[in-house]
Amino acid sequence: GFRSSMRVAIWVGGRVIGVLDVSAYAPHAYTGDDIAVAAGLAEHVTLAMSHQRLADATRKAEALRERAANLEMLDGLLDAVSGVLDIREVFDRVSAIARIVLPHDAMAIAITLDHPPRLRVHALSGFAGMPEAFETPMPEPHLLTDPWEYRILDYESEPAYADSPTAKAGMKSVLC
């Protein structure tokens, strides 16, 4: 239903990145005098968009700095475990370093065993009162044969894990 329109290019870095479009229902609503006003508005929009781009670039740079810091932290983790023959000797330290980038209350390393399907827990951190190493039934034996990369479980919606040592220790969710 618009009958008049005036468009002004928004330029950044020598190229048009947008258009300020001013429209009216009345015909012949704009004259040459209105162009100066619209051009001034476009300059303000250009400035705001430039600030937005600068803020986006700043956020991106901060994210890259955070990633670099995380990689440095992981290098520290590698230093902590290199040369160690038994991961259990340094697992509390591994957990503490990993907590910086992946908040958690407890951490464990387990290997899978086939017959019968079960897990052998080799290293623990944050599980008070549990033995250093133990075996437990595998709640989902198909995970031994089906391809998977990770699992995120909420124990309240996963009845197969109700009797798991992790759930009995009071944990409510797990990332495997």
Side-chain angles (χ1 to χ4, degrees), residues 130-141:
M130 282 191 162
E132 254 183 48
F134 60 91
E135 289 185 13
T136 186
M138 181 80 172
E140 295 179 275

Side-chain angles (χ1 to χ4, degrees), residues 84-99:
V84 174
L85 296 177
D86 188 346
I87 187 69
R88 289 176 287 200
E89 294 176 19
V90 294
F91 199 62
D92 283 331
R93 185 168 173 213
V94 168
S95 177
I97 293 170
R99 191 173 285 117

Side-chain angles (χ1 to χ4, degrees), residues 9-60:
I10 298 173
W11 292 82
V12 172
R15 63 185 277 257
V16 175
I17 64 156
V19 175
L20 174 67
D21 184 330
V22 181
S23 299
Y25 291 115
H28 311 290
Y30 306 109
T31 67
D33 294 338
D34 297 315
I35 293 173
V37 175
L41 286 171
E43 286 181 28
H44 287 290
V45 170
T46 300
L47 183 60
M49 291 177 79
S50 294
H51 284 148
Q52 179 64 43
R53 285 182 172 203
L54 181 60
D56 290 345
T58 300
R59 278 192 291 279
K60 186 182 267 185

